């Protein structure tokens, strides 16, 4: 669907309604892909004035510790020349600003490359990082040097595919119209039993299996580049490690969950990331899986407590806000458990701090020393 079609009179909802009326229900993946394409192209959704707040907007500590993680693994890999900092979906450029500032204090000053398709967000990123290079996808990234890649809350916005168990077997979950003209989930007519993992094949009627081929494709391409070019990557998102049943698709607008099917293109649609599957994909593509940790444990291992203390001593008037930000980023009831951090590296590169395979002492020391 072209941008002109999305912006046609009546908006995306009218376009979907006409399409469904003419050709029948569309897949959840189709619905989600088009809705998010319209959503991100037309606005800045971040911050208290937007629809949601991400970790880099909560505290500078998040980006700083990522920058130190990248600098640490780069140093232990021998400080290869020409390394690139790559961020997928860099939002306002906040994470990159904090990460690159911290990394530079550890001697890492890489080229900066952003993968971003939203014209609105590219404008914000250009103001914050005028020297960066922009890409529509990973295919045009440099292919002759190591990559240090970060993707924070990127995979969750990629379109998911859903299969639902019906009385007649497994079918793809689609989006149709009810008698009142509202969008509703419906079961498709084509048998999809062969696409269901054996472990879920006998699940009861109404069970939903959710997959994200787009996320697997992104991780596969990143892993392949790491294997051939060198480097490391961090994927940070909310998700799960063990396979599970059920729909995780949700819509958020003005910091509130709203009906997924109410206003396509006007809310942020996301789904939980299957970290177990994408880790397997990464290894099959030739990268080393360094581990997958809860965000809270990972940040604690990297020294967020020491960094919070340093910031509070430097700005006593902000101590309460710093403590609140630390809790939000790390507490199990907040972002600490639901959000995961997955590390990847090239063969021959060292293990990554925070994944219980190496001591985080160097990163912990550096995080406390940041001004």
């Amino acid at each position: 669907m072209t941008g002109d079609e999305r912006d046609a009179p009546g908006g995306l909802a009218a376009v979907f309604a006409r399409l469904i009326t003419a050709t029948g229900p569309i897949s959840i993946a189709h619905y989600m892909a088009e809705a998010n394409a319209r959503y991100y192209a037309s606005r800045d959704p971040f911050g208290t004035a937007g629809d949601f707040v991400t970790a880099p907007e909560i505290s500078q500590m998040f980006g700083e510790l990522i920058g130190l993680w990248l600098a640490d693994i780069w140093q232990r890999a021998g400080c290869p020349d020409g390394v690139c900092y790559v961020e997928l979906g860099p939002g306002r450029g906040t994470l990159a600003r904090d990460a690159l500032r911290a990394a530079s204090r550890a001697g890492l000053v890489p080229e900066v490359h952003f993968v971003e398709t939203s014209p609105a967000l590219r404008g914000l990123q250009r103001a914050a990082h005028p020297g960066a290079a922009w890409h529509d996808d990973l295919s045009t990234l440099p292919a002759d040097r190591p990559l240090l890649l970060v993707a924070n809350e990127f995979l969750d916005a990629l379109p998911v595919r859903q299969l639902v168990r019906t009385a007649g077997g497994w079918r793809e979950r689609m989006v149709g119209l009810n008698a009142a003209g509202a969008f509703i989930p419906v079961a498709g007519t084509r048998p999809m039993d062969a696409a269901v993992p054996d472990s879920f094949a006998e699940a009861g009627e109404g069970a939903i299996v959710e997959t994200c081929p787009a996320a697997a494709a992104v991780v596969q391409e990143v892993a392949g580049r790491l294997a051939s070019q060198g480097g490391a990557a961090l994927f940070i998102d909310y998700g799960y490690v063990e396979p599970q049943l059920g729909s995780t698709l949700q819509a958020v607008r003005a910091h509130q969950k709203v009906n997924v099917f109410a206003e396509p293109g006007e809310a942020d649609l996301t789904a939980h990331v299957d970290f177990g599957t994408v880790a397997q994909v990464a290894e099959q593509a030739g990268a080393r899986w360094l581990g997958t940790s809860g965000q809270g444990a990972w940040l604690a291992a990297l020294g967020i407590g020491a960094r919070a203390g340093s910031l509070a001593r430097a700005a006593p008037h902000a101590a309460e806000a710093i403590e609140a930000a630390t809790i939000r980023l790390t507490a199990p009831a907040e972002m600490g458990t639901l959000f995961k951090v997955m590390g990847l590296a090239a063969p021959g590169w060292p293990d990554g701090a925070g994944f219980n395979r190496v001591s985080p002492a160097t990163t912990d020391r550096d995080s406390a020393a940041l001004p």
Side-chain angles (χ1 to χ4, degrees):
M1 188 177 296
T2 67
D4 290 341
E5 288 171 322
R6 294 190 201 102
D7 297 332
L12 187 58
V15 175
F16 277 157
R18 290 194 294 270
L19 178 62
I20 293 169
T21 299
T23 64
I26 60 175
S27 69
I28 291 283
H30 181 173
Y31 179 90
M32 185 176 178
E34 294 292 346
N36 274 351
R38 178 188 176 94
Y39 175 79
Y40 281 101
S42 60
R43 73 202 71 204
D44 170 12
F46 301 97
T48 55
D51 290 326
F52 54 86
V53 177
T54 59
E57 307 288 340
I58 293 171
S59 172
Q60 69 186 68
M61 296 183 290
F62 183 78
E64 288 173 343
L65 292 175
I66 287 174
L68 290 175
W69 188 93
L70 296 174
D72 174 67
I73 199 169
W74 170 74
Q75 289 174 344
R76 290 186 291 112
C79 302
D81 293 331
V83 66
C84 296
Y85 173 90
V86 178
E87 190 170 341
L88 310 185
R92 293 171 167 172
T94 305
L95 191 159
R97 178 198 65 201
D98 296 333
L100 292 169
R101 182 182 65 250
S104 70
R105 296 182 183 280
L108 172 61
V109 184
E111 291 184 7
V112 179
H113 294 261
F114 292 146
V115 177
E116 179 63 73
T117 59
S118 166
L121 292 176
R122 277 194 179 194
L124 296 173
Q125 294 157 13
R126 189 169 285 109
H129 302 277
W134 279 264
H135 307 263
D136 290 330
D137 55 46
L138 281 76
S139 66
T140 57
L141 290 173
D144 60 350
R145 65 201 75 173
L147 305 179
L148 296 174
L149 183 143
V150 179
N152 180 61
E153 293 200 48
F154 177 80
L155 297 180
D156 66 348
L158 299 179
V160 294
R161 183 185 190 190
Q162 293 184 342
L163 304 177
V164 59
R165 179 69 183 268
T166 70
W170 289 93
R171 302 289 186 268
E172 183 150 17
R173 200 167 185 236
M174 314 286 281
V175 179
L177 291 169
N178 65 14
F183 298 114
I184 57 170
V186 298
T189 58
R190 182 183 174 187
M192 298 297 294
D193 299 73
V196 177
D198 291 343
S199 57
F200 294 141
E202 300 304 320
E205 188 173 342
I208 294 173
V209 170
E210 190 173 81
T211 63
C212 189
V218 167
V219 173
Q220 181 180 44
E221 184 167 358
V222 169
R225 281 181 170 271
L226 295 181
S228 63
Q229 297 175 227
L234 291 172
F235 287 91
I236 307 165
D237 230 311
Y238 54 87
Y240 52 91
V241 175
E242 298 297 328
Q244 66 178 39
L245 288 168
S247 172
T248 68
L249 183 62
Q250 67 176 27
V252 172
R253 187 176 187 182
H255 305 276
Q256 300 292 325
K257 289 186 178 181
V258 296
N259 186 343
V260 168
F261 303 106
E263 295 182 274
E266 300 303 321
D268 178 44
L269 299 185
T270 61
H272 290 200
V273 176
D274 181 351
F275 279 100
T277 293
V278 295
Q280 293 176 7
V281 167
E283 290 188 311
Q284 291 168 0
R288 294 180 58 237
W289 172 66
L290 303 179
T292 301
S293 174
Q295 178 177 290
W298 189 78
L299 290 173
L302 266 64
I304 192 171
R307 180 55 177 152
S310 175
L311 288 174
R313 288 190 295 274
H317 63 282
E320 186 174 336
I322 293 167
E323 181 182 9
T326 305
I327 291 171
R328 187 168 179 186
L329 291 171
T330 63
E334 299 284 345
M335 300 175 72
T337 300
L338 177 59
F339 279 73
K340 307 292 191 297
V341 183
M342 181 180 77
L344 304 176
W349 273 55
D351 288 334
F355 295 109
N356 299 320
R357 296 191 178 188
V358 296
S359 169
T362 300
T363 308
D364 185 37
R365 178 199 67 213
D366 291 344
S367 68
L370 281 169

